[in-house]
Amino acid sequence: MYFWLKVVIVKLREEIFMKWKSAHYPISDIRDWRNDEKLEIRPDFQRKEVWSTAAKIMLIDTIFSNIPMPKIYVESIIRDGKTYRIVIDGQQRLTAIFDFLDDKLILKKPYEGILIGKKYSDLSQEDQDKILGYEIDFNAIENPTEEEVRNLYSRVNKYTVQLNRQELRKADYSGDFIKLAEELVELPFFDDGRVFSAKMTRRMLDVEYVEELLCVLLDGIQDKKKCIDEFCEKYAVFEEGVDNVRQKFMDVLKDIEMIFSEESGMDFAKTRFRQRSDLYSLFCVIVDLQKSKQVIAHEKLAALREELKELDKKIEPMSENEQYREYAIRCTSDANSQSSRKWRYDFLHSIIQKAYE
C-alpha cells in the first residue's frame, strides 16, 4: 500500500512540473504574436504600467548588449487550433520592447551608446535584426486554472522587496541632479536636525526628499514627487555648474541655521520645523527671498524667533486660531499637493520676510 501511495505522489508531482514548459523565443516571434492578436499583455490582476522612460531605455540597451533578462511567464491556451499566450509576469518588459519597435521610444539618457537619439526605424537593418533576433526565456503553463495563474503571480512577486521610485531612479539616472542630491543628503544639517529616520535612509527616501528641495531651488514649488523623474532628465547636466547649484542650496540651509542658532533658544531638531512638510515650506520661502536679493537683518531676528516659537507651540489641528489650525491640517492632509504647499508657503512667507531686507 505504501509503495503504491509513493508512486501516486511521484506521478502527481511529475504532472505538476510537466504543465510548465520552458522555451526561448526571438523578439520577432513575440512581435508576430502581438500583431496576430495572439498575445494578451495585461491580465486583470497585474499592475498597470509603472516603468519610467529611463527604465524602458535601459532594457533596450540590455537587449543590444545581449545580456539575458529574467524569465517571462505566460499562460498558454488553445483556441480553434491556434496557440494564444496571456502574460502572467513580464508585462513591463514586453511593453517596453513593443514601445521601441513601434517608434514610441527614443534612445536617450541614461543610454550612452552610439545609437543615442535614434528610434527603431532609424536603425540599420543589421541593428534591427539584432533586436529581433534577441531570445527571451519563456515559461508557459498550458490551460491552467485561474487559481494556478494567480498562485504563480503571487509567488513571483509576493516575496520580493519591490523597489521604490527612488531606488529605481538610482538605477536609471546618473547625472548631476541625482548625484548632487546624494551628496547634499550627507550635510550635517539633516543629521543634526534629525530630519530623516533610519528607515528613510535605508530606502533612499532621504535622497528623494533632497531632490524635492532641489526642484524648488531650480523651478519653484512642485506638485508632490511627480517632478523628480523629469528633473533627473532635464538637469542631467547643470548649465550653471554643479558648484553654483550646491552653493545656492547651502546658502538656504545657512539662513535656516542662523534663524535657529543657539542664541535663538530654539533647538531646530526639537521644533516642528524639522518635519518634512514644514521644512519644505521654510526652504521655499528662503529660496525666494534669496532670489530677490534679500538678506537677513540681524536686528530683526529676535522678533522673528518669538513668532516662530509661538507657531511651534500653538500650531495644531485643534487650535483656536484659524490660520494655525489650517496650517496644521495642510501639513498632514494632502500635504504634498501644490495647493497645500502654496498655502503653507504664503503663510510662512508673511512671517519670515519681516526679518529680511
Side-chain angles (χ1 to χ4, degrees):
M1 180 68 178
Y2 177 71
F3 171 78
W4 288 110
L5 182 60
K6 284 185 66 175
V7 170
V8 170
I9 292 173
V10 169
K11 289 276 187 186
L12 286 172
R13 284 178 177 173
E14 286 177 351
E15 287 178 10
I16 291 170
F17 284 116
M18 285 176 65
K19 291 191 77 170
W20 285 99
K21 294 182 180 179
S22 181
H24 290 80
Y25 296 98
I27 287 177
S28 59
D29 281 2
I30 303 166
R31 177 200 57 186
D32 292 343
W33 301 342
R34 190 274 304 260
N35 292 345
D36 293 339
E37 298 184 348
K38 294 177 182 176
L39 180 70
E40 183 179 332
I41 294 291
R42 186 185 295 164
D44 60 359
F45 55 87
Q46 281 208 30
R47 295 173 297 171
K48 294 182 180 180
E49 187 179 340
V50 295
W51 272 21
S52 67
T53 299
K56 293 180 180 181
I57 288 170
M58 292 314 294
L59 179 73
I60 304 305
D61 184 51
T62 295
I63 294 171
F64 270 122
S65 303
N66 202 32
I67 298 171
M69 69 173 69
K71 284 178 180 287
I72 288 178
Y73 292 87
V74 296
E75 172 186 352
S76 180
I77 60 176
I78 306 296
R79 294 179 191 155
D80 302 323
K82 297 177 182 178
T83 300
Y84 292 80
R85 294 170 177 87
I86 302 171
V87 178
I88 300 173
D89 188 75
Q91 168 196 333
Q92 311 294 331
R93 281 163 281 163
L94 291 178
T95 300
I97 291 168
F98 291 143
D99 281 353
F100 186 63
L101 296 181
D102 295 339
D103 278 354
K104 296 178 182 178
L105 197 61
I106 297 175
L107 295 175
K108 58 182 181 178
K109 293 287 185 180
Y111 174 78
E112 297 178 342
I114 60 174
L115 301 175
I116 193 162
K118 293 187 176 183
K119 53 184 183 290
Y120 177 75
S121 62
D122 296 329
L123 303 181
S124 67
Q125 189 62 55
E126 181 182 355
D127 286 329
Q128 288 186 359
D129 290 345
K130 191 173 182 179
I131 289 285
L132 295 176
Y134 178 91
E135 292 191 342
I136 299 176
D137 190 9
F138 275 72
N139 264 9
I141 184 170
E142 295 184 356
N143 300 313
T145 64
E146 182 176 345
E147 183 181 356
E148 286 175 320
V149 172
R150 292 181 180 273
N151 181 48
L152 170 74
Y153 185 77
S154 175
R155 286 174 180 274
V156 170
N157 292 280
K158 187 174 183 179
Y159 297 105
T160 58
V161 177
Q162 298 293 329
L163 297 181
N164 62 37
R165 285 299 313 141
Q166 186 55 38
E167 289 165 332
L168 289 171
R169 288 186 198 106
K170 174 68 173 175
D172 293 344
Y173 301 103
S174 59
D176 289 349
F177 184 85
I178 193 168
K179 286 180 180 177
L180 182 57
E182 290 174 341
E183 174 191 331
L184 293 172
V185 80
E186 300 296 333
L187 291 173
F189 173 86
F190 296 108
D191 192 32
D192 295 343
R194 293 189 291 141
V195 177
F196 306 123
S197 66
K199 183 178 180 180
M200 287 186 69
T201 301
R202 281 196 301 272
R203 297 304 306 274
M204 296 188 70
L205 298 178
D206 53 349
V207 177
E208 183 175 69
Y209 181 78
V210 171
E211 287 172 343
E212 287 195 81
L213 298 184
L214 277 174
C215 290
V216 170
L217 188 68
L218 295 165
D219 204 17
I221 296 174
Q222 306 294 319
D223 185 23
K224 302 185 180 179
K225 301 176 177 63
K226 294 177 182 178
C227 67
I228 298 179
D229 284 346
E230 175 189 338
F231 276 57
C232 283
E233 292 187 22
K234 184 178 179 180
Y235 295 102
V237 176
F238 289 127
E239 291 185 4
E240 60 182 296
V242 175
D243 291 342
N244 285 335
V245 178
R246 181 192 299 110
Q247 189 58 55
K248 288 179 181 178
F249 191 96
M250 294 180 70
D251 285 344
V252 176
L253 298 189
K254 183 179 179 182
D255 274 15
I256 296 175
E257 289 176 325
M258 188 180 300
I259 293 169
F260 292 90
S261 63
E262 289 184 10
E263 63 190 64
S264 71
M266 299 176 71
D267 181 353
F268 179 77
K270 295 180 180 179
T271 69
R272 69 168 296 116
F273 297 100
R274 62 173 277 270
Q275 298 177 142
R276 293 184 298 283
S277 294
D278 296 82
L279 179 55
Y280 182 94
S281 302
L282 183 62
F283 191 92
C284 291
V285 170
I286 296 177
V287 164
D288 282 354
L289 290 170
Q290 291 186 350
K291 282 184 177 178
S292 61
K293 307 300 181 183
Q294 297 190 59
V295 296
I296 288 178
H298 291 272
E299 68 276 10
K300 298 179 181 179
L301 273 177
L304 172 62
R305 287 164 178 161
E306 288 304 312
E307 284 199 69
L308 291 177
K309 286 178 182 177
E310 180 179 358
L311 296 181
D312 189 42
K313 291 178 181 177
K314 297 185 178 180
I315 286 178
E316 58 180 11
M318 303 302 291
S319 174
E320 294 180 0
N321 183 298
E322 183 179 349
Q323 283 195 309
Y324 291 177
R325 185 169 64 250
E326 181 75 7
Y327 181 92
I329 292 171
R330 287 182 179 269
C331 280
T332 54
S333 178
D334 200 23
N336 295 327
S337 70
Q338 197 166 29
S339 59
S340 288
R341 286 174 165 177
K342 184 66 170 61
W343 193 97
R344 299 196 311 264
Y345 166 89
D346 291 337
F347 176 77
L348 287 181
H349 189 277
S350 65
I351 295 169
I352 294 172
Q353 69 171 351
K354 298 174 187 176
Y356 279 73
E357 62 183 12

